[in-house]
Amino acid sequence: MSIVILLLKLSGRSPETRYKFQPMKEDVELGNSSYPMVLVQIPMFNEREVYQLSIGAACGLSWPSDRLIIQVLDDSTDLTIKDMVELECQRWASKGINIKYEVRDNRKGYKAGALREGMKRGYVKSCDFVVIFDADFQPESDFLTRTIPFLVHNPQLALVQARWEFVNADECLMTRLQEMSLDYHFTVEQEVGSSTHAFFGFNGTAGVWRIAAVNEAGGWKDRTTVEDMDLAVRASLKGWKFLYLGTIKVKNELPSTFKAYRYQQHRWSCGPANLFRKMVMEIVRNKKVSLWKKVHVIYSFFFVRKIIAHIITFVLYCVVLPATVVIPEVQVPKWAAVYIPTVITILNAVGTPRSIHLLVFWILFENVMSLHRTMATFIGLLEGVRVNEWIVTEKLGGALKAKAAAKAPRLRRFFFGDRIYLLELGVGAFLFSCGCYDVLFGNNHYFIYLFVQALAFFVMGFGYVGIYVPHT
């Protein structure tokens, strides 16, 4: 993938050179009707801190008002928040914005269910394209004028995906490390998929879909927790192409509490593994795409990046290397333990050059998270108890700063489960024990790594990572 990125940079290939692009212009005779009808969907669930940001940004999109429909899909269970969101929609409607507030009697299918129900509304039939923004996403006003033309002038395209930009990347060390991983994902993985196979996983938000492609692929399905990836794979198997635009960035928020991040990573790891189990034979039997693309989707996209990468990270660094200390007959060659991982780590840093000095912290952090990703991967593959667990990632917005600025601090109540994570502490104790054994009886100096990695497990196990939001 890094070689492909290098070749792209050297060749100067851009989306405008690969696909036709002409800015949308008002027709003298047809007027605004020359613009396609666009639906903007904003699914949300109890988004007290960020609902105004996303709704306001969507209503500020530069597009003829009679050719744009904003659809707020509110699954909130908190009636107070529900009323607040509805009032916000009414406020924008009073300004002439065509905004629809939609609710359901249940949360069946979670986000996929909400999007599917939204597409059933009568007014959607007149729309050509649908844009999806999660509740914490804030697109720039020119988002539609920079994305829609690609779909209008290239009928083979089903999806245009924009890049994420993180408003709270500097909030704490954990958000900086997340930024490094996600920047690599967008800078390398998404760009390579778009440039070589016109396929990549839809990120679930900040993207524009051709509604005809969504319908042909079978619409939104809630069989896994990665409804976005599910739709992308099915649309690709129908022969549709995708385009990633890294120059268009949409602001959003990273999870800044460790608890929220753990839940998010469980969903992001369990869902793809479960989808792989459900779709692998469908991909193999498909006759519309080439053998090379099938190999790419099955091997590179799913097997290596969504399954093996998590498992091998945890097994190698948290099981095999520590085990070699107590079982000296087991030898790990230096190229496997040091050289290849070092190269991969350096390549992962290319997306965020400003954080290259944090590489050691990133390695330790990713090794700890590989524990949860590995567990989630097996749950997805084996369809375990938590396979369809969906917990909405908590967004803090400006709430934390507002609480910190309060003049009268409240007494914080401490709950054991809020700050203590026994799984991390258990693995940390195992690594620390292996390190002590290496100091006493070993001769390969693995104890240096084992003690540092054990410390990382302890720090995260005691909850000293990310932002802590106390109960009030």
Side-chain angles (χ1 to χ4, degrees):
M1 288 193 292
S2 299
I3 292 172
V4 171
I5 288 297
L6 181 61
L7 293 175
L8 286 172
K9 296 291 184 184
L10 294 175
S11 65
R13 290 184 68 199
S14 66
E16 289 79 8
T17 60
R18 289 182 283 130
Y19 294 96
K20 185 178 179 183
F21 179 88
Q22 290 180 356
M24 299 298 300
K25 294 180 181 179
E26 184 176 332
D27 190 279
V28 178
E29 296 181 357
L30 298 176
N32 288 342
S33 60
S34 61
Y35 284 76
M37 280 291 294
V38 177
L39 172 71
V40 177
Q41 291 185 310
I42 310 175
M44 54 178 60
F45 175 75
N46 293 340
E47 308 286 359
R48 179 191 295 271
E49 313 300 345
V50 295
Y51 74 94
Q52 288 179 310
L53 297 175
S54 57
I55 294 175
C59 292
L61 290 169
S62 179
W63 201 255
S65 58
D66 59 335
R67 311 298 293 172
L68 181 66
I69 302 174
I70 311 293
Q71 188 185 66
V72 177
L73 305 167
D74 190 9
D75 272 359
S76 298
T77 52
D78 187 316
L79 297 181
T80 302
I81 298 176
K82 215 165 192 173
D83 291 340
M84 292 164 62
V85 175
E86 186 174 11
L87 284 172
E88 183 69 8
C89 293
Q90 291 173 356
R91 187 173 73 85
W92 282 103
S94 67
K95 296 181 179 182
I97 301 296
N98 188 2
I99 185 169
K100 310 288 186 181
Y101 177 72
E102 305 287 359
V103 295
R104 305 187 288 163
D105 340 354
N106 56 71
R107 289 190 66 214
K108 185 177 183 300
Y110 303 110
K111 181 180 175 181
L115 294 171
R116 183 171 58 238
E117 285 298 311
M119 295 295 288
K120 292 179 181 178
R121 299 295 184 264
Y123 54 81
V124 175
K125 293 179 181 178
S126 63
C127 297
D128 304 294
F129 307 107
V130 57
V131 189
I132 300 165
F133 294 118
D134 281 351
D136 58 317
F137 277 69
Q138 306 162 53
E140 297 294 333
S141 59
D142 63 352
F143 180 87
L144 296 179
T145 58
R146 297 177 66 187
T147 55
I148 296 292
F150 281 105
L151 291 163
V152 170
H153 299 298
N154 300 276
Q156 74 275 31
L157 284 179
L159 167 69
V160 173
Q161 172 73 58
R163 181 173 175 164
W164 298 0
E165 184 177 38
F166 311 107
V167 296
N168 65 331
D170 293 326
E171 189 169 10
C172 60
L173 179 60
M174 191 181 81
T175 52
R176 284 289 292 272
L177 300 179
Q178 289 179 66
E179 180 192 37
M180 292 176 68
S181 297
L182 287 170
D183 276 353
Y184 173 81
H185 167 69
F186 284 106
T187 305
V188 178
E189 293 179 341
Q190 296 296 72
E191 187 66 72
V192 170
S194 175
S195 303
T196 56
H197 301 278
F199 167 78
F200 49 83
F202 173 45
N203 292 116
T205 177
V208 189
W209 277 95
R210 188 185 301 275
I211 291 180
V214 174
N215 293 335
E216 185 183 349
W220 294 101
K221 294 186 179 182
D222 55 19
R223 56 183 174 173
T224 70
T225 56
V226 283
E227 73 295 323
D228 42 15
M229 187 182 295
D230 190 344
L231 176 59
V233 174
R234 284 183 284 115
S236 179
L237 294 179
K238 294 290 183 180
W240 290 98
K241 294 184 177 182
F242 306 159
L243 174 63
Y244 168 70
L245 298 176
T247 55
I248 301 178
K249 300 179 181 180
V250 181
K251 295 177 182 177
N252 69 102
E253 182 180 321
L254 291 164
S256 52
T257 66
F258 185 45
K259 186 176 182 180
Y261 185 62
R262 286 173 92 218
Y263 282 132
Q264 182 201 67
Q265 292 303 298
H266 172 85
R267 191 171 75 245
W268 285 8
S269 302
C270 177
N274 190 232
L275 182 63
F276 177 71
R277 170 186 171 131
K278 286 179 164 67
M279 290 202 70
V280 62
M281 293 312 299
E282 183 181 341
I283 298 170
V284 170
R285 290 191 294 262
N286 184 273
K287 296 180 180 179
K288 283 194 174 182
V289 298
S290 66
L291 176 62
W292 177 239
K293 189 167 186 177
K294 289 181 186 180
V295 172
H296 169 72
V297 175
I298 293 174
Y299 177 73
S300 178
F301 180 76
F302 271 118
F303 189 66
V304 173
R305 285 161 47 193
K306 309 300 181 186
I307 298 175
I308 293 300
H310 304 320
I311 297 173
I312 202 169
T313 300
F314 176 71
V315 170
L316 177 62
Y317 290 104
C318 301
V319 178
V320 175
L321 284 182
T324 61
V325 171
V326 295
I327 309 174
E329 290 81 9
V330 177
Q331 295 290 329
V332 178
K334 284 187 177 180
W335 61 263
V338 180
Y339 301 144
I340 288 181
T342 299
V343 172
I344 292 174
T345 301
I346 293 172
L347 292 176
N348 268 278
V350 300
T352 318
R354 77 185 187 103
S355 298
I356 197 167
H357 62 289
L358 299 175
L359 270 180
V360 173
F361 294 100
W362 181 81
I363 294 169
L364 298 173
F365 178 74
E366 286 294 296
N367 285 348
V368 175
M369 291 310 303
S370 70
L371 164 65
H372 298 286
R373 292 171 184 148
T374 299
M375 290 175 57
T377 298
F378 280 115
I379 289 173
L381 288 173
L382 304 176
E383 295 202 327
V385 177
R386 295 177 61 198
V387 67
N388 289 317
E389 179 183 78
W390 182 287
I391 297 176
V392 176
T393 305
E394 180 186 22
K395 293 105 180 176
L396 298 179
L400 195 65
K401 293 178 182 178
K403 288 178 183 177
K407 292 182 179 179
R410 294 184 179 183
L411 183 64
R412 295 185 176 185
R413 289 188 292 164
F414 177 77
F415 291 88
F416 184 80
D418 287 347
R419 291 293 294 268
I420 304 297
Y421 300 96
L422 296 179
L423 205 56
E424 283 85 347
L425 294 178
V427 177
F430 168 70
L431 295 177
F432 183 77
S433 301
C434 291
C436 292
Y437 187 92
D438 193 43
V439 170
L440 296 173
F441 307 107
N443 56 9
N444 52 17
H445 303 293
Y446 278 173
F447 67 86
I448 300 173
Y449 158 73
L450 292 172
F451 283 150
V452 174
Q453 187 64 68
L455 179 61
F457 271 98
F458 286 140
V459 168
M460 296 174 74
F462 284 113
Y464 287 101
V465 64
I467 299 298
Y468 175 58
V469 182
H471 288 264
T472 55

